[in-house]
Amino acid sequence: MAKREFTPDRITSLRPNEIFVFGSNLGGFHGGGAAELAYRSFGAVWGQGEGLQGQSYALPTMVQTVAEMQPYVDRFIVCAQLHPELKFYLTEVGCGIAGFTVNEVAPLFAKALEVPNIVLPERFFKVLQG
């Protein structure tokens, strides 16, 4: 059995087919945390709060409740399924500036376990494995 790959704790560069998945706000104001890194290094577009852009994918996490993230997570998973040629490195979205915990956010990504080109953070994987 192959060793499972996890999103690195720190991403500083990407190969051409790799995508940095970061938590964003709907306004696309990528001014801090992973969003700022995506904007400065991986082609995130200022003013675009959701979706594939450059070598990044903006996933809105600046919401009132964790449940409000689910539609954005679902759209991200569909995007990854539609782009099997890309490898999506999911960061611990929602667990920084947005203020949610890994235990709250990780369950939203249960369907991502079945998508081979989505690489999860190790702490998300551990929560999903129970």
Side-chain angles (χ1 to χ4, degrees):
M1 186 168 154
K3 186 176 185 316
R4 182 163 197 99
E5 180 181 11
F6 298 109
T7 301
D9 290 335
R10 190 159 204 81
I11 296 175
T12 57
S13 64
L14 294 169
R15 292 186 177 108
N17 68 324
E18 295 176 334
I19 304 297
F20 180 78
V21 182
F22 66 97
S24 69
N25 58 65
L26 281 170
F29 307 121
H30 309 310
E36 183 179 14
L37 175 62
Y39 176 68
R40 294 196 184 281
S41 301
F42 303 124
V45 176
W46 194 267
Q48 184 176 335
E50 183 181 11
L52 197 55
Q53 43 195 290
Q55 279 190 274
S56 65
Y57 186 99
L59 202 157
T61 59
M62 298 297 288
V63 293
Q64 295 296 312
T65 68
V66 172
E68 290 176 60
M69 273 189 256
Q70 191 67 68
Y72 305 119
V73 170
D74 293 343
R75 284 196 289 269
F76 158 66
I77 291 170
V78 168
C79 178
Q81 291 169 323
L82 292 172
H83 292 282
E85 75 283 5
L86 300 175
K87 182 186 277 191
F88 294 84
Y89 286 100
L90 178 68
T91 61
E92 288 188 359
V93 296
C95 300
I97 295 169
F100 299 108
T101 68
V102 168
N103 286 339
E104 291 172 315
V105 177
L108 301 176
F109 291 90
K111 292 178 187 172
L113 286 171
E114 303 165 10
V115 183
N117 60 328
I118 295 176
V119 180
L120 296 171
E122 188 171 10
R123 294 194 318 157
F124 277 27
F125 181 77
K126 287 181 178 178
V127 168
L128 291 169
Q129 292 302 295

